[in-house]
Amino acid sequence: MTAHAARARALMAVALGESPADLVVRGGTVLNVFTAELIQGCDVAVKAGRIAYVGPDAGHVVGPDTEIVEANGQFVVPGLIDGHTHVLETRYSLAELLRYAVPGGTTTIITETGELATVLGRRAVDALLDALVDQPVKVFMTLPPLIGLAPFIEAHAPDLEAYERWLRHPRVLGLGEVYWGPLVRSDRRPLELVAATVAAERRAEGHSAGARGSRLIAYAAAGISSCHEPVTADEARERLRLGLYTMVREGEIRQDLAAMAPLWRDGTDLRRLVLVTDGQGPDRLLRLGYLDHCVRRAIELGLEPARAIQMVTLNVAEHFGRDRDLGAVAPGRCADLLLVPDLRDFRPTLVLSDGRVVARDGTLTVEPRQPSFPRHFYSTLKRPRIVRPADFAVPAPDGGPIRARAIELVTNLVTREEIIELRPVDGYLCADPKADLVKIASLDRGRRTDELFVGFLRGYGLRRGAVATSMTWDSQSVIVIGADDRDMALAACRLLDTQGGVSVCAGGALVAEFEARLGGLVSEAPLEEIASDLRTDRGYVRLRDAAMLGLTADSPSSVPRP
Amino acid sequence: MTAHAARARALMAVALGESPADLVVRGGTVLNVFTAELIQGCDVAVKAGRIAYVGPDAGHVVGPDTEIVEANGQFVVPGLIDGHTHVLETRYSLAELLRYAVPGGTTTIITETGELATVLGRRAVDALLDALVDQPVKVFMTLPPLIGLAPFIEAHAPDLEAYERWLRHPRVLGLGEVYWGPLVRSDRRPLELVAATVAAERRAEGHSAGARGSRLIAYAAAGISSCHEPVTADEARERLRLGLYTMVREGEIRQDLAAMAPLWRDGTDLRRLVLVTDGQGPDRLLRLGYLDHCVRRAIELGLEPARAIQMVTLNVAEHFGRDRDLGAVAPGRCADLLLVPDLRDFRPTLVLSDGRVVARDGTLTVEPRQPSFPRHFYSTLKRPRIVRPADFAVPAPDGGPIRARAIELVTNLVTREEIIELRPVDGYLCADPKADLVKIASLDRGRRTDELFVGFLRGYGLRRGAVATSMTWDSQSVIVIGADDRDMALAACRLLDTQGGVSVCAGGALVAEFEARLGGLVSEAPLEEIASDLRTDRGYVRLRDAAMLGLTADSPSSVPRP
């Protein structure tokens, strides 16, 4: 008999009272996500990690060794599923994520893998597939499309056959976020990747920030199945109408739930609306929680609890075609169960994953597995020679003042082109911190070349010194920002020494740093320590996107907020 | 470039206005099934059979050769999907079904295949896979589980490897209805079939008539994904809560919509409710229509049109994991589109399938393909020797009156055991038509044996003569019912001569018949002719289940209603 058949037989035997359950959760009020009903006085019986019975009385399945959990009228809710996040891409380890996310009720995580893969290529995918299994909860991944803004990313991507092989892996749910621009313009690799994903009956995740009308339609027509980038209710509605599973973010990068309230005030069918974190920062994870915070926030914003919970359970499971295993308290599903005293202040007292208690009263009760990555995953910053101040010098063309393109920082996430006028000094174009104009340089850190590009940045707020970081999106270049060429070289050198994180230098000395050696992206320190390192009295600095943030070197003892 | 990628590229090119559409439906009110909204002033552009654009203005995709269909404000609705029906199992051909079903807006049919397969085994599956393609609309199938009430059905079933091969076929959506009893009792083949289906990520269709509580839960836990058998709102709700896609029938066998109205009066989430025909009889198909009739009836019973249409489009497509191709007017989907002037009196004026006009104003405008079946599909009634009156004689045991088991016909669909007292006549137990007691015999018709079983039937209403039919569910035995052994033999012989259908004999002569030679189940005559043959002034007789119906031989020129 196959494993599937044997499991079915075992579950049926329990349901029929022919053999005892492993565990029974007794006397709860089950949130039925299919019908959006609350079913009072309901027992749930578990066998071999799956739900074997949900009904008014599981007395017939209780044997001498059956463990009984008294729900005492608490709500029994399916474990939450984060449908879009960034594990091992947001400064801390998977173990630390689980330690703080699981007690809030998250029992399934679906993560992007683009950042480590940009640094390490296909080895990252294989290593992650190994790292994500045998954890206290289920962690799935989407494959890194490696379709970047920089052409070199695509050049180093695995071939289509590797993707087709990975797409059959049980932990792979599809293709990670494919930026809309490259796909809509593509007649080759991005299209082939999406097509191979659709042909494999897996999901091609979208990223259509700013797209609308014909271009958004073209993107959907190509086979893209979701978007987690709407920031207004209108943008969300446009995506829902196209059949895209539309993911609303309430995490570190964006907090969009408040803007979405119009969606649940007019009877719109929301079966394709999903709540996600898109990654949670260390400080927010400690202070607010994880996906449980999204649920509390959505309910606070007027969404019915049953609907909010559908958006982090059944809707996500349906999107990824996993609703026969996940996302509901129903026969045959994984026994991922939460006991919650108050649906409106969603804080589980007990979290079961595959029928095992993994958290109780806000604390993880099992130890996440610390995966062991190859040694070279911790030394990913390559330069053929030492970086020197002269590398950041910008020789001026002959003549007087010149006009040049600069990057203007509009918000923490948005830049735009600005045309500036620069007056050469001794034959060089220089930073002008008094006018809030500094240099910004990008160093190729992975491909062992001397490539280095220097430009100008306005609006960053840096008055002296320099900051270098390897924690940059998409390109995974080292970014150095500085008011001073010598400090820029020093910060870059220090970062190359530590092999990742952030280095801040001023006056020829190191003044602050954060080490993140795994892929130059992740620290394996405890989350409390990371958050403390990154927290200052002037607030919280998101080092992941440090290159986009206004770090100043004014307070040499900390890494303050702009 | 793969076909998937090339198609995506072509759709994107149209959406972006880089190449012209084949066809544009202009100025309709699109029913958006994702959000359950009506979007006014909406154009739909089609390229190579798929939807490339849905939006306020498709002007940019109109080229010199683009065909324009003016919607003139009509509703644009996705083509309807019948999620559970019996093609080539309900007396008439697929061609005749399409002729009358498609003009009402049905553009996808998902059919069971159990009846022909019971007669012809795996050859039937292969022949159907060939017959269902290249039709004006899409016809998918579920595989015959061949799990019957009679053990011989299972003995002749294909092996698991054949199922696993078929499950990968693009026209196969899963495993057909698996009766709950055999599955719940099974530790072998039914379980393995369901498990193989689930492992292949296909659907194992259910049939849980009468099951509830623990047994229904066991059935769901085994991996069954639907049930089309609830007859009350409570039964439907119990199934919805278990996560089963719950199919409500409004067809020939059952008309259950009226009983379901409580479901849509209380805010229950109905995303897993589906409306199906479960097969439509010839007369009803001509008089009432097909799935369009279900939609009209549901709306008449108070369901919002958008919700009713979701139940025959998106909900079904989601159930079968085909929502990226079917069930919505959205980019990338098949251009299965209906123009409907009035949603509440749902009668399409135009039906497009894969972007092609297939019906207009109630008439099919294309010719269905008549598949050619092997010759032996038309001679499936095997007996090694002639049936004689003596075959139906029941010798009495010695002694006086005896008690015996009989079948009591309670309704057209339901029988129960009755214990009767019989007084032997000349050493035989005889029919007693005055007491509404006749003989009923089952002949093995496919396995070339002389097996024949004779019993007694009460409540059938036959006063003289006999009726023989090969159109019987599940067993596909020939059933003969008679007040007279000689007429029973005559009717059986005549049926064996004609190779299928119904024969009615009285007074030693043939008095009525219906020929159905394809598998002994289906007539390839025009539907009007079939309906006329089966219609009498006393109403409509369902010959498919003739053995369960009260045919009388009182009116020798017709086959009247009981």
Short mmCIF file of all heavy atoms in Angstrom, two decimals, chain A residues 1 9 12 32 35 37 186-187 192 201-203 218 237 241 269 271-272 310 315 318 323-324, chain B residues 1 9 12 32 34-35 37 186-187 192 201-203 218 237 241 269 271-272 310 315 318 323-324:
data_model
loop_
_atom_site.label_atom_id
_atom_site.label_comp_id
_atom_site.label_asym_id
_atom_site.label_seq_id
_atom_site.Cartn_x
_atom_site.Cartn_y
_atom_site.Cartn_z
N MET A 1 0.86 -1.21 0.00
CA MET A 1 0.00 0.00 0.00
C MET A 1 0.89 1.25 0.00
O MET A 1 1.88 1.30 0.72
CB MET A 1 -0.90 -0.02 1.24
CG MET A 1 -2.06 0.95 1.16
SD MET A 1 -3.15 0.93 2.62
CE MET A 1 -4.03 -0.61 2.40
N ARG A 9 -6.10 5.26 5.18
CA ARG A 9 -6.67 4.16 5.94
C ARG A 9 -6.60 4.46 7.44
O ARG A 9 -7.57 4.23 8.18
CB ARG A 9 -5.90 2.88 5.59
CG ARG A 9 -6.33 1.62 6.30
CD ARG A 9 -7.69 1.11 5.85
NE ARG A 9 -8.75 1.62 6.72
CZ ARG A 9 -10.05 1.54 6.48
NH1 ARG A 9 -10.49 0.98 5.36
NH2 ARG A 9 -10.94 2.01 7.31
N MET A 12 -9.13 7.14 8.40
CA MET A 12 -10.49 6.61 8.38
C MET A 12 -10.75 5.74 9.61
O MET A 12 -11.82 5.80 10.22
CB MET A 12 -10.74 5.81 7.10
CG MET A 12 -10.82 6.69 5.86
SD MET A 12 -11.78 5.93 4.52
CE MET A 12 -10.82 4.48 4.21
N ASN A 32 -14.61 27.52 11.08
CA ASN A 32 -14.65 26.82 9.80
C ASN A 32 -14.37 27.82 8.68
O ASN A 32 -15.18 28.70 8.39
CB ASN A 32 -16.02 26.16 9.61
CG ASN A 32 -16.01 25.23 8.41
OD1 ASN A 32 -15.78 25.66 7.28
ND2 ASN A 32 -16.20 23.96 8.67
N THR A 35 -16.84 27.81 5.34
CA THR A 35 -18.15 28.47 5.40
C THR A 35 -18.10 29.79 6.15
O THR A 35 -19.10 30.50 6.17
CB THR A 35 -19.16 27.54 6.11
OG1 THR A 35 -18.64 27.22 7.41
CG2 THR A 35 -19.38 26.26 5.32
N GLU A 37 -17.91 30.10 9.36
CA GLU A 37 -18.78 29.94 10.51
C GLU A 37 -17.95 29.58 11.75
O GLU A 37 -16.87 29.00 11.64
CB GLU A 37 -19.74 28.75 10.31
CG GLU A 37 -20.75 28.90 9.22
CD GLU A 37 -21.47 27.56 9.01
OE1 GLU A 37 -20.80 26.56 8.70
OE2 GLU A 37 -22.71 27.55 9.16
N SER A 186 10.00 41.00 -22.00
CA SER A 186 10.79 39.81 -22.35
C SER A 186 10.26 39.09 -23.58
O SER A 186 9.06 39.01 -23.80
CB SER A 186 10.79 38.83 -21.18
OG SER A 186 11.04 37.52 -21.60
N ASP A 187 11.15 38.54 -24.37
CA ASP A 187 10.74 37.50 -25.28
C ASP A 187 11.56 36.24 -25.05
O ASP A 187 11.65 35.39 -25.92
CB ASP A 187 10.81 37.94 -26.73
CG ASP A 187 12.19 38.41 -27.11
OD1 ASP A 187 13.12 38.26 -26.31
OD2 ASP A 187 12.34 38.93 -28.23
N GLU A 192 9.99 32.14 -20.46
CA GLU A 192 10.18 30.68 -20.40
C GLU A 192 10.05 30.17 -18.96
O GLU A 192 9.49 29.11 -18.72
CB GLU A 192 11.57 30.29 -20.95
CG GLU A 192 11.77 30.57 -22.42
CD GLU A 192 11.15 29.49 -23.32
OE1 GLU A 192 10.36 28.67 -22.83
OE2 GLU A 192 11.48 29.49 -24.52
N GLU A 201 2.13 23.27 -13.30
CA GLU A 201 1.00 23.51 -12.39
C GLU A 201 1.45 24.07 -11.05
O GLU A 201 0.92 23.72 -10.00
CB GLU A 201 0.16 22.24 -12.22
CG GLU A 201 -0.45 21.78 -13.53
CD GLU A 201 -1.39 20.59 -13.38
OE1 GLU A 201 -2.15 20.57 -12.40
OE2 GLU A 201 -1.37 19.71 -14.25
N ARG A 202 2.46 24.93 -11.10
CA ARG A 202 2.89 25.64 -9.91
C ARG A 202 2.64 27.14 -10.13
O ARG A 202 2.27 27.56 -11.21
CB ARG A 202 4.37 25.35 -9.64
CG ARG A 202 4.65 23.90 -9.25
CD ARG A 202 4.08 23.59 -7.86
NE ARG A 202 4.24 22.20 -7.47
CZ ARG A 202 3.32 21.24 -7.67
NH1 ARG A 202 2.19 21.53 -8.29
NH2 ARG A 202 3.53 20.01 -7.27
N ARG A 203 2.88 27.94 -9.10
CA ARG A 203 2.51 29.35 -9.16
C ARG A 203 3.68 30.24 -9.55
O ARG A 203 4.78 30.09 -8.98
CB ARG A 203 1.97 29.82 -7.81
CG ARG A 203 0.81 29.02 -7.31
CD ARG A 203 -0.38 29.02 -8.28
NE ARG A 203 -1.38 28.07 -7.84
CZ ARG A 203 -1.50 26.82 -8.31
NH1 ARG A 203 -0.69 26.38 -9.26
NH2 ARG A 203 -2.43 26.02 -7.85
N ALA A 218 -1.25 42.63 -19.39
CA ALA A 218 -0.28 41.81 -20.12
C ALA A 218 0.45 40.88 -19.15
O ALA A 218 0.65 39.69 -19.43
CB ALA A 218 0.71 42.71 -20.85
N ARG A 237 -8.01 46.23 -5.86
CA ARG A 237 -9.22 45.83 -6.58
C ARG A 237 -8.91 45.52 -8.05
O ARG A 237 -9.41 44.56 -8.62
CB ARG A 237 -10.28 46.93 -6.48
CG ARG A 237 -11.65 46.51 -6.97
CD ARG A 237 -12.63 47.68 -6.89
NE ARG A 237 -12.86 48.12 -5.53
CZ ARG A 237 -13.72 47.55 -4.68
NH1 ARG A 237 -14.44 46.51 -5.06
NH2 ARG A 237 -13.88 48.02 -3.46
N ARG A 241 -9.64 41.82 -9.65
CA ARG A 241 -10.50 41.65 -10.84
C ARG A 241 -9.80 40.86 -11.94
O ARG A 241 -10.45 40.24 -12.78
CB ARG A 241 -10.91 43.02 -11.39
CG ARG A 241 -11.97 43.71 -10.55
CD ARG A 241 -12.24 45.09 -11.11
NE ARG A 241 -13.32 45.75 -10.37
CZ ARG A 241 -13.66 47.01 -10.55
NH1 ARG A 241 -13.03 47.77 -11.45
NH2 ARG A 241 -14.65 47.55 -9.84
N ASP A 269 -16.23 40.10 -3.20
CA ASP A 269 -15.76 38.76 -2.86
C ASP A 269 -14.25 38.84 -2.66
O ASP A 269 -13.52 39.28 -3.54
CB ASP A 269 -16.10 37.80 -4.01
CG ASP A 269 -15.92 36.34 -3.62
OD1 ASP A 269 -15.03 36.03 -2.80
OD2 ASP A 269 -16.66 35.49 -4.14
N ARG A 271 -12.15 36.25 -1.77
CA ARG A 271 -11.51 34.94 -1.65
C ARG A 271 -10.07 34.96 -2.17
O ARG A 271 -9.30 34.07 -1.85
CB ARG A 271 -12.33 33.88 -2.40
CG ARG A 271 -12.31 34.01 -3.91
CD ARG A 271 -12.99 32.82 -4.58
NE ARG A 271 -14.43 33.00 -4.69
CZ ARG A 271 -15.25 32.12 -5.24
NH1 ARG A 271 -14.77 30.98 -5.71
NH2 ARG A 271 -16.53 32.35 -5.34
N ARG A 272 -9.73 35.95 -2.97
CA ARG A 272 -8.35 36.01 -3.48
C ARG A 272 -7.51 37.09 -2.77
O ARG A 272 -6.44 37.44 -3.26
CB ARG A 272 -8.36 36.20 -5.00
CG ARG A 272 -9.02 35.02 -5.70
CD ARG A 272 -8.58 34.74 -7.10
NE ARG A 272 -9.05 33.42 -7.47
CZ ARG A 272 -8.61 32.71 -8.50
NH1 ARG A 272 -7.70 33.21 -9.29
NH2 ARG A 272 -9.08 31.51 -8.74
N GLN A 310 -9.47 33.71 7.15
CA GLN A 310 -9.47 33.10 5.81
C GLN A 310 -8.30 33.61 4.98
O GLN A 310 -7.69 32.88 4.20
CB GLN A 310 -10.77 33.43 5.06
CG GLN A 310 -11.98 32.60 5.47
CD GLN A 310 -13.22 33.00 4.68
OE1 GLN A 310 -13.43 34.18 4.36
NE2 GLN A 310 -14.07 32.02 4.37
N ASN A 315 -7.40 31.04 1.93
CA ASN A 315 -7.12 31.77 0.68
C ASN A 315 -5.70 31.49 0.19
O ASN A 315 -5.48 31.30 -1.01
CB ASN A 315 -7.31 33.28 0.89
CG ASN A 315 -8.74 33.66 1.22
OD1 ASN A 315 -9.58 32.78 1.47
ND2 ASN A 315 -9.03 34.94 1.24
N GLU A 318 -5.40 27.85 -1.02
CA GLU A 318 -6.01 27.69 -2.34
C GLU A 318 -5.11 28.28 -3.42
O GLU A 318 -4.96 27.69 -4.50
CB GLU A 318 -7.39 28.36 -2.37
CG GLU A 318 -8.43 27.58 -1.58
CD GLU A 318 -9.85 28.10 -1.69
OE1 GLU A 318 -10.03 29.29 -2.06
OE2 GLU A 318 -10.78 27.35 -1.39
N ASP A 323 -4.69 23.36 -0.57
CA ASP A 323 -5.81 23.39 0.36
C ASP A 323 -6.28 22.00 0.77
O ASP A 323 -7.09 21.90 1.68
CB ASP A 323 -6.97 24.20 -0.22
CG ASP A 323 -7.36 23.74 -1.61
OD1 ASP A 323 -6.51 23.82 -2.52
OD2 ASP A 323 -8.50 23.28 -1.79
N ARG A 324 -5.78 20.95 0.17
CA ARG A 324 -6.12 19.62 0.68
C ARG A 324 -5.20 19.22 1.84
O ARG A 324 -5.44 18.23 2.51
CB ARG A 324 -6.08 18.59 -0.44
CG ARG A 324 -7.37 18.66 -1.27
CD ARG A 324 -7.26 17.79 -2.49
NE ARG A 324 -6.21 18.28 -3.36
CZ ARG A 324 -5.78 17.65 -4.45
NH1 ARG A 324 -6.32 16.50 -4.77
NH2 ARG A 324 -4.84 18.16 -5.22
N MET B 1 11.19 28.38 -28.25
CA MET B 1 10.28 28.79 -27.17
C MET B 1 9.15 27.77 -27.04
O MET B 1 8.62 27.30 -28.04
CB MET B 1 9.71 30.19 -27.53
CG MET B 1 9.04 30.89 -26.35
SD MET B 1 8.35 32.52 -26.77
CE MET B 1 9.82 33.51 -26.95
N ARG B 9 3.56 35.23 -24.80
CA ARG B 9 4.12 36.35 -25.58
C ARG B 9 3.05 36.97 -26.49
O ARG B 9 2.92 38.19 -26.57
CB ARG B 9 5.31 35.84 -26.39
CG ARG B 9 6.02 36.86 -27.27
CD ARG B 9 6.78 37.89 -26.48
NE ARG B 9 5.98 39.08 -26.23
CZ ARG B 9 6.30 40.06 -25.41
NH1 ARG B 9 7.41 40.02 -24.71
NH2 ARG B 9 5.52 41.10 -25.24
N MET B 12 0.49 38.91 -24.44
CA MET B 12 1.05 40.17 -23.95
C MET B 12 1.14 41.19 -25.09
O MET B 12 0.84 42.37 -24.90
CB MET B 12 2.43 39.93 -23.35
CG MET B 12 2.38 39.19 -22.02
SD MET B 12 3.83 39.49 -20.97
CE MET B 12 5.12 38.89 -22.00
N ASN B 32 -17.57 39.96 -13.26
CA ASN B 32 -16.29 39.54 -12.71
C ASN B 32 -16.54 38.52 -11.60
O ASN B 32 -17.05 38.86 -10.53
CB ASN B 32 -15.51 40.76 -12.17
CG ASN B 32 -14.09 40.38 -11.82
OD1 ASN B 32 -13.86 39.53 -10.97
ND2 ASN B 32 -13.15 40.97 -12.52
N PHE B 34 -14.41 36.86 -9.84
CA PHE B 34 -13.50 36.89 -8.69
C PHE B 34 -14.04 37.79 -7.58
O PHE B 34 -14.02 37.45 -6.41
CB PHE B 34 -12.11 37.40 -9.11
CG PHE B 34 -11.48 36.57 -10.19
CD1 PHE B 34 -11.25 37.08 -11.45
CD2 PHE B 34 -11.13 35.25 -9.95
CE1 PHE B 34 -10.69 36.31 -12.45
CE2 PHE B 34 -10.56 34.46 -10.93
CZ PHE B 34 -10.33 35.00 -12.20
N THR B 35 -14.53 38.95 -7.99
CA THR B 35 -15.00 39.92 -7.00
C THR B 35 -16.53 39.93 -6.88
O THR B 35 -17.05 40.61 -6.01
CB THR B 35 -14.53 41.34 -7.39
OG1 THR B 35 -15.00 41.62 -8.72
CG2 THR B 35 -13.01 41.43 -7.37
N GLU B 37 -18.52 41.27 -9.02
CA GLU B 37 -18.95 42.62 -9.42
C GLU B 37 -19.39 42.61 -10.88
O GLU B 37 -18.91 41.80 -11.68
CB GLU B 37 -17.77 43.60 -9.34
CG GLU B 37 -17.22 43.89 -7.97
CD GLU B 37 -15.94 44.71 -8.09
OE1 GLU B 37 -14.98 44.23 -8.74
OE2 GLU B 37 -15.90 45.81 -7.54
N SER B 186 -12.96 -0.10 2.63
CA SER B 186 -11.83 -0.66 1.86
C SER B 186 -10.52 -0.64 2.61
O SER B 186 -10.22 0.27 3.37
CB SER B 186 -11.66 0.17 0.58
OG SER B 186 -10.34 0.06 0.08
N ASP B 187 -9.72 -1.65 2.41
CA ASP B 187 -8.32 -1.50 2.74
C ASP B 187 -7.45 -1.78 1.51
O ASP B 187 -6.29 -2.07 1.65
CB ASP B 187 -7.91 -2.38 3.91
CG ASP B 187 -8.19 -3.84 3.64
OD1 ASP B 187 -8.58 -4.17 2.52
OD2 ASP B 187 -8.02 -4.65 4.57
N GLU B 192 -6.39 2.76 -2.81
CA GLU B 192 -5.22 2.97 -3.66
C GLU B 192 -5.57 3.90 -4.82
O GLU B 192 -4.76 4.75 -5.21
CB GLU B 192 -4.71 1.63 -4.22
CG GLU B 192 -4.16 0.67 -3.19
CD GLU B 192 -2.72 0.99 -2.78
OE1 GLU B 192 -2.24 2.09 -3.08
OE2 GLU B 192 -2.10 0.12 -2.15
N GLU B 201 -2.20 14.96 -7.79
CA GLU B 201 -2.79 16.29 -7.67
C GLU B 201 -4.02 16.44 -8.56
O GLU B 201 -4.26 17.49 -9.17
CB GLU B 201 -1.76 17.39 -7.97
CG GLU B 201 -0.61 17.36 -6.96
CD GLU B 201 0.37 18.51 -7.14
OE1 GLU B 201 -0.08 19.63 -7.40
OE2 GLU B 201 1.59 18.26 -7.01
N ARG B 202 -4.79 15.38 -8.65
CA ARG B 202 -6.07 15.43 -9.34
C ARG B 202 -7.18 15.18 -8.32
O ARG B 202 -6.92 14.89 -7.16
CB ARG B 202 -6.10 14.39 -10.47
CG ARG B 202 -5.12 14.70 -11.61
CD ARG B 202 -5.56 15.94 -12.39
NE ARG B 202 -4.61 16.31 -13.44
CZ ARG B 202 -3.63 17.21 -13.28
NH1 ARG B 202 -3.44 17.80 -12.10
NH2 ARG B 202 -2.84 17.53 -14.28
N ARG B 203 -8.43 15.31 -8.76
CA ARG B 203 -9.55 15.26 -7.82
C ARG B 203 -10.19 13.88 -7.76
O ARG B 203 -10.46 13.29 -8.81
CB ARG B 203 -10.63 16.28 -8.21
CG ARG B 203 -10.13 17.68 -8.33
CD ARG B 203 -9.52 18.19 -7.03
NE ARG B 203 -8.88 19.48 -7.25
CZ ARG B 203 -7.57 19.63 -7.46
NH1 ARG B 203 -6.76 18.59 -7.46
NH2 ARG B 203 -7.06 20.82 -7.67
N ALA B 218 -14.84 10.22 7.74
CA ALA B 218 -13.84 9.23 7.30
C ALA B 218 -13.65 9.31 5.79
O ALA B 218 -12.52 9.29 5.28
CB ALA B 218 -14.27 7.82 7.71
N ARG B 237 -24.62 21.69 3.93
CA ARG B 237 -23.79 22.44 4.88
C ARG B 237 -22.77 21.52 5.57
O ARG B 237 -21.62 21.89 5.75
CB ARG B 237 -24.68 23.12 5.93
CG ARG B 237 -23.97 24.11 6.82
CD ARG B 237 -24.90 24.70 7.87
NE ARG B 237 -25.98 25.46 7.28
CZ ARG B 237 -25.89 26.73 6.89
NH1 ARG B 237 -24.76 27.38 7.03
NH2 ARG B 237 -26.92 27.35 6.37
N ARG B 241 -18.74 22.23 5.24
CA ARG B 241 -17.89 22.40 6.42
C ARG B 241 -16.69 21.46 6.42
O ARG B 241 -15.67 21.75 7.02
CB ARG B 241 -18.71 22.15 7.70
CG ARG B 241 -19.65 23.29 8.04
CD ARG B 241 -20.49 22.91 9.25
NE ARG B 241 -21.34 24.03 9.65
CZ ARG B 241 -22.28 23.93 10.59
NH1 ARG B 241 -22.48 22.76 11.22
NH2 ARG B 241 -23.01 24.97 10.91
N ASP B 269 -20.25 31.32 3.56
CA ASP B 269 -19.35 31.41 2.41
C ASP B 269 -19.66 30.23 1.49
O ASP B 269 -19.61 29.07 1.92
CB ASP B 269 -17.89 31.35 2.90
CG ASP B 269 -16.91 31.75 1.82
OD1 ASP B 269 -17.16 31.46 0.63
OD2 ASP B 269 -15.86 32.33 2.16
N ARG B 271 -18.12 29.53 -1.52
CA ARG B 271 -17.14 29.36 -2.59
C ARG B 271 -17.00 27.90 -3.01
O ARG B 271 -16.49 27.63 -4.09
CB ARG B 271 -15.78 29.92 -2.16
CG ARG B 271 -15.09 29.15 -1.08
CD ARG B 271 -13.67 29.67 -0.84
NE ARG B 271 -13.65 30.77 0.09
CZ ARG B 271 -12.54 31.40 0.49
NH1 ARG B 271 -11.37 31.04 -0.01
NH2 ARG B 271 -12.58 32.38 1.36
N ARG B 272 -17.43 26.97 -2.16
CA ARG B 272 -17.32 25.56 -2.53
C ARG B 272 -18.66 24.94 -2.93
O ARG B 272 -18.78 23.73 -3.01
CB ARG B 272 -16.65 24.76 -1.41
CG ARG B 272 -15.23 25.25 -1.15
CD ARG B 272 -14.28 24.25 -0.58
NE ARG B 272 -12.92 24.79 -0.71
CZ ARG B 272 -11.80 24.08 -0.59
NH1 ARG B 272 -11.88 22.80 -0.33
NH2 ARG B 272 -10.62 24.65 -0.75
N GLN B 310 -21.05 32.28 -10.32
CA GLN B 310 -19.81 31.76 -9.71
C GLN B 310 -19.89 30.24 -9.52
O GLN B 310 -18.90 29.53 -9.68
CB GLN B 310 -19.57 32.40 -8.33
CG GLN B 310 -19.01 33.82 -8.36
CD GLN B 310 -18.80 34.37 -6.95
OE1 GLN B 310 -19.59 34.10 -6.05
NE2 GLN B 310 -17.75 35.16 -6.77
N ASN B 315 -16.16 28.61 -9.19
CA ASN B 315 -16.11 27.59 -8.13
C ASN B 315 -15.72 26.22 -8.70
O ASN B 315 -14.92 25.50 -8.10
CB ASN B 315 -17.47 27.49 -7.42
CG ASN B 315 -17.85 28.75 -6.68
OD1 ASN B 315 -17.20 29.79 -6.84
ND2 ASN B 315 -18.91 28.70 -5.90
N GLU B 318 -12.05 26.24 -9.84
CA GLU B 318 -11.16 26.14 -8.68
C GLU B 318 -11.14 24.71 -8.15
O GLU B 318 -10.08 24.19 -7.78
CB GLU B 318 -11.59 27.12 -7.58
CG GLU B 318 -11.27 28.57 -7.95
CD GLU B 318 -11.55 29.58 -6.85
OE1 GLU B 318 -12.32 29.24 -5.92
OE2 GLU B 318 -11.01 30.68 -6.92
N ASP B 323 -8.59 26.93 -12.74
CA ASP B 323 -9.03 28.32 -12.75
C ASP B 323 -8.06 29.24 -13.47
O ASP B 323 -8.38 30.40 -13.69
CB ASP B 323 -9.29 28.81 -11.32
CG ASP B 323 -8.13 28.55 -10.39
OD1 ASP B 323 -7.78 27.38 -10.19
OD2 ASP B 323 -7.56 29.52 -9.88
N ARG B 324 -6.88 28.76 -13.83
CA ARG B 324 -6.03 29.61 -14.65
C ARG B 324 -6.39 29.51 -16.13
O ARG B 324 -5.91 30.29 -16.94
CB ARG B 324 -4.56 29.28 -14.42
CG ARG B 324 -4.07 29.94 -13.13
CD ARG B 324 -2.69 29.47 -12.77
NE ARG B 324 -2.71 28.03 -12.50
CZ ARG B 324 -1.62 27.30 -12.30
NH1 ARG B 324 -0.44 27.87 -12.37
NH2 ARG B 324 -1.71 26.02 -12.04
#
